[in-house]
């Protein structure tokens, strides 16, 4: 579907449309309203309790008859639960929708029923909807739209959608809010906060911030109730992610949008769960899910503004093969330190560095700074050590959350409110992915993006993560670099030239001291070994020409395997670079003078020269001075690593090998 030409109606929201902040969720205001209406609270609580007592009796009766595990009985119970949530209204429908994406908490039979809460809900009378349109936009629908459907095409928890056409010809979707929505949700949230507060105070096993999670949930619902805010969310989402080649975000028509009415571009598409219809269009559904994974990672780890409700009804496959996002009511943000913390945690998981992983949970607000991590580290090691298997890429996201649930229950973890929405988003996406391809692994598809971020992000946090990934005990892990480059080249928008330039700038900056030290050591070792072996080969060749036997080297035998392996790694990396899309080796040419002019380059050269001179000096002392003083009866080989040098010679032990 070609992107619609922007008009004044579909650009940014005008200043006149920006609401005051009084519509946002305010827990104090909610509690105050509850105190002012005690009878309403009691009546609503009675309705809720009575509804669930009915379900409990239903389950007990099935158990009494020995039919608890019967598929028919479970389906009946699940349908009963769905009906209760539907009757209780928008707040509980939202809770049911959240549960429908949690196969780790809800049995499969219940999942199937709760999934219907996504888009199969009862509608309210069209006469009321049209009255809201007139109140909100100042004119009756027939004067605003050239045509509008007489009945809603879909009904959701907070509103229902009509298809219409503007007088200028554009096909649009008109979303209208349910009546008396705010009062009903205020009452439900007040009751939920009271229950959450009671549980946190009286149930010791509850360590999560239930009030915080309730407030986060309520904040999202209040944002969803304001359609002007949803329109702004859509435009912000489009600004950040609409530039992705295979992502489409519909336009908002601000002249026909208010707090209770939203008019947006109509999209003809197919739900990702309708695999046959998608295949009939020649579209690869698995590829679209991969596009969704890439977009979700950008949302979480790049801009920190993410779609918290990516259920199948909000993701459409368009005829041209693009993935369209709908419904921008439930959005959330994640702060920069949380974004970097998540990537660092992935790196530490890859490295099996469970000590650092435990500290990551402190930085991500799962644990307080005064928490004793001593018993937590071995628990993480046991759980993830068994779960990781051969590769992190083999894990699915649900298995990680399953493994963590046991640890969080045993130790004093508190799940931050923002993380609950991330889990909801990622588990939902993975559920869609597995429905398309049972073998789909979200982490496997996510790793190319993580690799690209590690190679290209200039933040100090990720530079340190990259260093941790590539270096261990002073040794450079070539296979990790090869793996990063191999994965990064498949990621969208991977800028190899930019990555190389940033890497050079980092290596030859103050922050790159450690890497330059390691680089100098590697170069000294390689050049020294190459020189010694070349000299030894030349000496042996001359001796053979004159009919003499080869003379054994008086110094330690030089092991060339490591250097040959390093050369092989370099060749492999060069081949990966050549296979990277749009690779052009000429971009390396300007780097040479730029690097040579840096002060750090001169210091690096000096360190290399000093290291080589130290090796020559050590070898001269070992093979000439000390050899002449040894008795003929004791032809021992002296290990240069244990020589005690005069104070005038500075030869670090690491360099004398």
């Amino acid at each position: 579907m070609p992107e619609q030409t922007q008009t004044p109606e579909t650009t940014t929201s005008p200043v006149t449309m920006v609401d005051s902040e009084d519509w946002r969720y305010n827990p104090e205001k909610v509690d105050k309203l509850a105190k002012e209406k005690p009878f309403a609270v009691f009546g609503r609580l009675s309705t809720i309790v009575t509804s669930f007592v009915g379900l409990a009796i239903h389950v007990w009766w099935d158990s009494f008859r020995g039919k608890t595990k019967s598929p028919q009985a479970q389906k009946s119970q699940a349908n009963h639960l769905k009906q209760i949530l539907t009757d209780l209204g928008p707040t509980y429908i939202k809770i049911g929708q959240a549960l429908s994406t949690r196969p780790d908490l809800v049995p499969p039979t219940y999942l199937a029923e709760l999934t219907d809460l996504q888009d199969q809900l009862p509608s309210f009378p069209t006469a009321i909807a049209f009255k809201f349109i007139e109140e909100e936009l100042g004119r009756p629908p027939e004067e605003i739209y050239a045509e509008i459907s007489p009945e809603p095409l879909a009904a959701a928890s907070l509103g229902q959608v009509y298809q219409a056409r503007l007088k200028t010809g554009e096909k649009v979707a008109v979303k209208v809010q349910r009546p008396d929505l705010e009062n009903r949700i205020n009452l439900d949230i007040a009751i939920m906060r009271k229950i959450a507060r009671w549980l946190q105070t009286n149930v010791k096993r509850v360590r999560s911030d239930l009030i915080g999670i309730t407030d986060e949930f309520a904040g999202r619902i209040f944002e969803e109730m304001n359609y002007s805010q949803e329109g702004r969310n859509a435009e912000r989402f489009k600004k950040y992610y609409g530039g992705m080649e295979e992502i489409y975000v519909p336009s908002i028509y601000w002249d026909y949008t208010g707090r209770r009415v939203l008019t947006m571009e109509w999209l003809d598409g197919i739900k990702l769960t309708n695999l046959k219809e998608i295949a009939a269009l020649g579209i690869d559904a698995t590829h679209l899910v991969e596009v969704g994974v890439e977009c979700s990672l950008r949302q979480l780890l790049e801009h920190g503004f993410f779609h918290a409700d990516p259920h199948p009804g909000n993701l459409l496959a368009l005829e041209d093969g693009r993935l369209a996002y709908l419904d921008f009511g439930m959005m959330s943000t994640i702060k920069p330190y949380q974004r970097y913390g998540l990537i660092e945690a992935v790196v530490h998981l890859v490295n099996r560095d469970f000590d650092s992983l435990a500290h990551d949970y402190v930085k991500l607000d799962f644990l307080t700074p005064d928490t004793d991590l001593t018993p937590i580290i071995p628990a993480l090691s046991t759980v993830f050590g068994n779960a990781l298997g051969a590769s992190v890429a083999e894990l699915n996201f649900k298995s990680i959350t399953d493994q963590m649930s046991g640890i969080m229950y045993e130790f004093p973890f508190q799940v931050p409110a923002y993380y609950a929405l991330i889990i909801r988003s990622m588990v939902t996406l993975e559920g869609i992915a597995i429905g398309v391809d049972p073998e789909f692994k979200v982490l496997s598809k996510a790793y190319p993006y993580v690799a690209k971020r590690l190679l290209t992000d200039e933040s100090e946090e990720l530079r340190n993560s990259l260093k941790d990934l590539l270096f261990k005990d002073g040794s450079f892990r070539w296979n990790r670099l090869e793996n990063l480059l191999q994965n990064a080249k498949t990621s969208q928008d991977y800028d190899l030239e930019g990555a190389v330039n940033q890497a050079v700038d980092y290596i030859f900056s103050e922050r790159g001291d450690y890497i330059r030290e390691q680089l100098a050591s590697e170069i000294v070792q390689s050049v020294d070994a190459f020189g010694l072996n070349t000299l030894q080969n030349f000496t042996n060749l001359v001796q053979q020409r004159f009919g003499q036997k080869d003379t054994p080297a008086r110094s330690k035998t030089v092991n060339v395997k490591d250097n040959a392996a390093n050369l092989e790694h370099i060749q492999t990396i060069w081949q990966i670079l050549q296979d990277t899309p749009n690779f052009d080796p000429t971009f390396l040419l300007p780097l040479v003078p730029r690097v040579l002019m840096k002060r750090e380059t001169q210091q690096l050269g000096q360190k290399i020269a000093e290291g080589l001179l130290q090796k020559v000096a050590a070898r001269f002392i070992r093979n000439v001075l000390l050899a002449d003083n040894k008795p003929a009866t004791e032809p021992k080989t002296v290990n240069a690593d244990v020589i005690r040098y005069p104070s005038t010679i500075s030869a670090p032990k690491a360099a004398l090998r």
Side-chain angles (χ1 to χ4, degrees):
M1 179 183 294
E3 187 161 351
Q4 184 174 347
T5 303
Q6 295 285 325
T7 70
E9 296 170 327
T10 62
T11 55
T12 57
S13 54
V15 175
T16 55
M17 292 301 301
V18 178
D19 303 311
S20 63
E21 294 296 300
D22 61 352
W23 60 269
R24 291 191 180 277
Y25 171 65
N26 185 325
E28 289 78 15
K29 183 178 178 181
V30 168
D31 287 343
K32 182 181 178 182
L33 288 174
K35 290 180 180 178
E36 293 173 352
K37 299 179 179 180
F39 294 107
V41 170
F42 179 78
R44 178 63 172 166
L45 183 59
S46 299
T47 301
I48 295 169
V49 171
T50 303
S51 299
F52 283 103
V53 165
L55 176 63
I57 293 173
H58 186 162
V59 174
W60 173 83
W61 180 244
D62 286 338
S63 175
F64 179 76
R65 295 185 301 161
K67 295 185 177 182
T68 304
K69 297 182 179 180
S70 164
Q72 293 82 2
Q74 288 189 352
K75 183 175 176 61
S76 175
Q77 295 167 15
N79 187 67
H80 189 170
L81 175 61
K82 182 183 73 173
Q83 192 59 51
I84 288 172
L85 297 176
T86 301
D87 293 342
L88 287 176
T91 307
Y92 288 87
I93 290 171
K94 282 293 177 185
I95 293 173
Q97 289 175 346
L99 289 174
S100 75
T101 65
R102 295 300 302 268
D104 54 329
L105 299 178
V106 180
T109 306
Y110 281 74
L111 281 178
E113 289 294 323
L114 293 179
T115 300
D116 289 345
L117 289 171
Q118 305 286 10
D119 53 10
Q120 295 183 18
L121 296 172
S123 60
F124 60 93
T126 293
I128 296 177
F130 283 6
K131 179 183 177 183
F132 280 3
I133 293 175
E134 183 173 0
E135 290 177 356
E136 201 69 32
L137 303 182
R139 289 179 293 165
E142 59 269 20
E143 293 184 13
I144 298 172
Y145 307 103
E147 57 185 65
I148 185 170
S149 58
E151 298 295 332
L153 275 66
S157 55
L158 305 185
Q160 57 195 34
V161 178
Y162 295 83
Q163 187 184 79
R165 190 177 299 277
L166 299 179
K167 294 184 181 297
T168 49
E170 293 92 337
K171 194 175 180 182
V172 295
V174 181
K175 185 155 71 170
V176 186
Q177 192 175 105
R178 289 184 178 274
D180 198 31
L181 188 63
E182 187 171 347
N183 288 332
R184 298 173 67 184
I185 288 180
N186 273 327
L187 200 58
D188 285 338
I189 296 301
I191 293 171
M192 289 173 64
R193 293 189 90 250
K194 287 180 179 295
I195 294 172
R197 186 180 292 110
W198 185 88
L199 289 173
Q200 282 193 195
T201 304
N202 297 281
V203 182
K204 293 182 179 180
R205 289 184 177 272
V206 175
R207 289 190 292 264
S208 295
D209 182 7
L210 295 184
I211 296 176
I213 292 173
T214 300
D215 288 341
E216 181 78 13
F217 174 73
R220 301 288 79 79
I221 292 184
F222 270 69
E223 285 198 3
E224 282 194 86
M225 285 194 295
N226 186 343
Y227 288 166
S228 293
Q229 179 62 31
E230 180 176 344
R232 290 191 286 272
N233 287 341
E235 292 194 331
R236 184 179 176 188
F237 192 89
K238 188 168 190 172
K239 174 185 175 183
Y240 288 153
Y241 317 113
M244 293 179 64
E245 185 177 353
E246 296 177 281
I247 294 293
Y248 191 81
V249 182
S251 298
I252 304 297
Y253 292 85
W254 285 105
D255 283 357
Y256 316 108
T257 293
R259 285 179 60 169
R260 294 184 297 172
V261 176
L262 174 69
T263 301
M264 68 188 301
E265 178 183 1
W266 179 274
L267 296 180
D268 290 307
I270 304 169
K271 290 184 183 180
L272 287 188
T273 49
N274 294 340
L275 300 182
K276 291 184 179 180
E277 293 184 35
I278 292 176
L281 292 176
I283 298 172
D284 183 355
T286 302
H287 175 69
L288 277 186
V289 172
E290 292 175 3
V291 171
V293 169
E294 170 95 8
C295 187
S296 292
L297 288 167
R298 288 194 180 197
Q299 294 172 45
L300 293 174
L301 303 177
E302 193 166 322
H303 295 290
F305 180 66
F306 67 95
H307 198 301
D309 192 23
H311 67 72
N314 291 338
L315 295 171
L316 296 180
L318 302 182
E319 291 183 1
D320 62 2
R322 284 187 289 180
L323 178 68
Y325 279 79
L326 302 176
D327 196 344
F328 301 94
M330 185 170 283
M331 309 294 291
S332 191
T333 57
I334 176 172
K335 298 175 182 177
Y337 82 90
Q338 295 164 340
R339 302 202 296 266
Y340 291 128
L342 289 173
I343 297 178
E344 288 175 315
V346 170
V347 170
H348 293 145
L349 193 62
V350 171
N351 283 343
R352 289 171 168 77
D353 183 356
F354 301 112
D355 191 319
S356 297
L357 185 62
H359 286 87
D360 289 334
Y361 282 112
V362 175
K363 288 191 288 186
L364 289 169
D365 304 322
F366 284 81
L367 298 167
T368 58
D370 59 349
T371 302
D372 180 13
L373 301 180
T374 306
I376 295 176
I377 293 170
L380 290 172
S381 176
T382 300
V383 170
F384 284 115
N386 294 333
L388 285 173
S391 168
V392 174
E394 294 177 4
L395 282 175
N396 58 37
F397 196 80
K398 179 181 177 295
S399 89
I400 289 182
T401 57
D402 287 349
Q403 294 292 339
M404 277 305 301
S405 62
I407 294 180
M408 289 184 176
Y409 185 77
E410 182 178 354
F411 297 102
F413 281 83
Q414 293 186 357
V415 179
Y418 78 88
Y419 187 74
L421 285 176
I422 292 176
I423 291 294
R424 169 191 167 90
S425 176
M426 293 304 294
V427 170
T428 301
L429 186 63
E430 186 174 67
I432 296 171
I434 292 174
V436 173
D437 177 6
E439 299 301 317
F440 193 95
K441 298 292 186 293
V442 166
L443 288 181
S444 177
K445 301 302 180 183
Y447 195 63
Y449 173 82
V450 174
K452 181 192 76 172
R453 286 294 304 276
L454 285 171
L455 290 170
T456 60
D457 198 296
E458 296 185 81
S459 68
E460 185 173 355
E461 295 90 343
L462 293 196
R463 286 302 181 207
N464 289 333
S465 293
L466 180 61
K467 184 180 72 176
D468 291 343
L469 192 66
L470 297 181
F471 290 94
K472 183 178 182 181
D473 300 329
S475 298
F476 186 77
R477 295 190 279 189
W478 291 96
N479 62 317
R480 290 284 173 86
L481 179 59
E482 293 169 8
N483 185 264
L484 284 175
L485 292 170
Q486 189 72 42
N487 278 279
K489 74 177 187 181
T490 64
S491 180
Q492 291 187 21
D493 300 333
Y494 173 50
D495 180 10
L496 175 60
E497 182 177 350
V500 172
N501 279 287
Q502 289 176 19
V504 169
D505 288 339
Y506 179 75
I507 291 172
F508 292 96
S509 68
E510 291 183 5
R511 294 186 298 165
D513 282 344
Y514 176 81
I515 295 179
R516 290 199 302 277
E517 290 282 351
Q518 297 298 321
L519 185 60
S521 177
E522 290 284 344
I523 292 174
V524 167
Q525 296 291 344
S526 298
V527 171
D528 181 66
F530 178 78
L532 280 177
N533 282 283
T534 301
L535 178 61
Q536 185 65 50
N537 292 336
F538 177 76
T539 302
N540 290 339
L541 180 62
V542 171
Q543 289 174 338
Q544 290 174 7
R545 294 290 290 263
F546 286 94
Q548 297 179 4
K549 294 182 179 180
D550 294 348
T551 303
R554 297 178 66 185
S555 61
K556 292 188 297 183
T557 301
V558 180
N559 187 352
V560 297
K561 290 183 180 179
D562 290 341
N563 296 291
N566 287 348
L567 179 60
E568 185 177 338
H569 283 305
I570 292 172
Q571 291 173 337
T572 300
I573 288 172
W574 180 248
Q575 184 61 52
I576 293 172
L577 296 180
Q578 288 180 308
D579 294 340
T580 301
N582 302 319
F583 171 72
D584 182 2
T586 58
F587 79 81
L588 297 172
L589 296 178
L591 288 177
V592 177
R594 199 175 95 205
V595 169
L596 292 178
M597 293 297 291
K598 288 182 176 290
R599 177 174 55 86
E600 291 80 8
T601 304
Q602 298 169 9
Q603 293 174 346
L604 177 63
Q606 186 176 353
K607 288 180 181 179
I608 293 171
E610 288 175 354
L612 290 172
L613 286 173
Q614 288 169 358
K615 281 189 168 290
V616 171
R619 195 170 291 111
F620 176 77
I621 293 171
R622 182 180 65 233
N623 295 337
V624 178
L625 300 182
L626 295 181
D628 291 341
N629 296 331
K630 283 194 295 185
T633 57
E634 297 181 8
K636 295 181 179 179
T637 301
V638 179
N639 188 337
D641 288 341
V642 296
I643 295 175
R644 300 295 183 265
Y645 294 97
S647 60
T648 55
I649 299 177
S650 175
K653 181 178 178 180
L656 303 176
R657 290 186 284 190

